[in-house]
Structures are given as C-alpha cells and as structure tokens.
Amino acid sequence: MNQAQTKPVVQFIERLQNTGGLKGTDIANFTGVSKATVSRWSSGQKTPHPKTQLIMSDLSYVVMRLGEYYSQEEVRAWLHAPHPQFNGERAVDLIHIGRSVEVIAILDRLDADAYL
C-alpha cells in the first residue's frame, strides 16, 4: 500500500479527532470496526474499505463545517444528539447510513443563518 492511498484516511481521522472531538472508540463504533483497526488506519498500516472511506469522508466534511461554528465538545454533541430537524435522529447515524445530504442541508441553513 502506498502512502498516497493512506493520506486521506489519516487526514479524515485527524479531523474527526482534532475538530470533532471524536475518540478512537467513536470512530470504531461509527465504522463498525475495532479501536485497534482505527489505530492501524491512523498510522497508515491499513486502509478501510472504499465504502467506509466514503462514509468517513462525509463525516469529516460535516465535522469540518461544524468546526467553523462550534468547539470540539459542541461538534461531538451536535453529531450525537437527536435533532428535531432530523425527526429525532442523530446526524452521525444519518451519515453512517448514507443520508449525508440531509445533514449537509442543515449545515447550509446554518451558513445562511436560517438555523440557530
């Protein structure tokens, strides 16, 4: 495996941890792997399945956007809290099942000052 393939995954994980306040356990639970596997991804020893990479990419993008408005702790709470805009569902769950577009739509409203 070459480093060019690994670099985006390492960047996703760093953003999730540094901007989103997510722990290795959070990322493991989100992706359905062990914390040790996330550690191997972080160090570049392994690469996640392409579908998992796509989901991590979406989560990383959402975390980046939320980081423009909120602290680490607030980003983590926002991701894990049930939202009325998602009919009580959590953003992290929607991203995991491929419904990132709905989460991004809420972020677009936040950018437009239409959501507080």
Side-chain angles (χ1 to χ4, degrees):
M1 156 186 12
N2 72 40
Q3 209 139 25
Q5 292 173 319
T6 305
K7 190 169 173 51
V9 171
V10 172
Q11 290 173 342
F12 296 153
I13 292 170
E14 287 174 355
R15 179 176 294 143
L16 295 175
Q17 292 174 330
N18 298 333
T19 304
L22 299 177
K23 317 252 183 284
T25 304
D26 295 321
I27 298 167
N29 290 338
F30 178 74
T31 56
V33 299
S34 70
K35 188 176 172 187
T37 298
V38 173
S39 180
R40 286 190 288 276
W41 293 344
S42 295
S43 67
Q45 295 173 2
K46 294 276 247 177
T47 302
H49 184 276
K51 182 178 180 186
T52 303
Q53 288 182 46
L54 180 60
I55 291 169
M56 288 175 64
S57 171
D58 287 353
L59 180 59
S60 177
Y61 176 74
V62 168
V63 163
M64 177 191 69
R65 299 261 319 259
L66 288 169
E68 295 173 9
Y69 299 98
Y70 301 119
S71 70
Q72 261 188 0
E73 296 80 19
E74 292 169 325
V75 170
R76 187 175 187 279
W78 195 97
L79 290 168
H80 287 90
H83 286 275
Q85 297 83 3
F86 304 134
N87 296 318
E89 294 182 85
R90 302 178 323 155
V92 72
D93 295 330
L94 294 175
I95 294 166
H96 182 76
I97 61 172
R99 292 172 50 194
S100 300
V101 172
E102 295 171 50
V103 177
I104 293 167
I106 296 296
L107 297 176
D108 290 343
R109 284 189 232 149
L110 181 62
D111 285 342
D113 294 327
Y115 168 79
L116 300 175

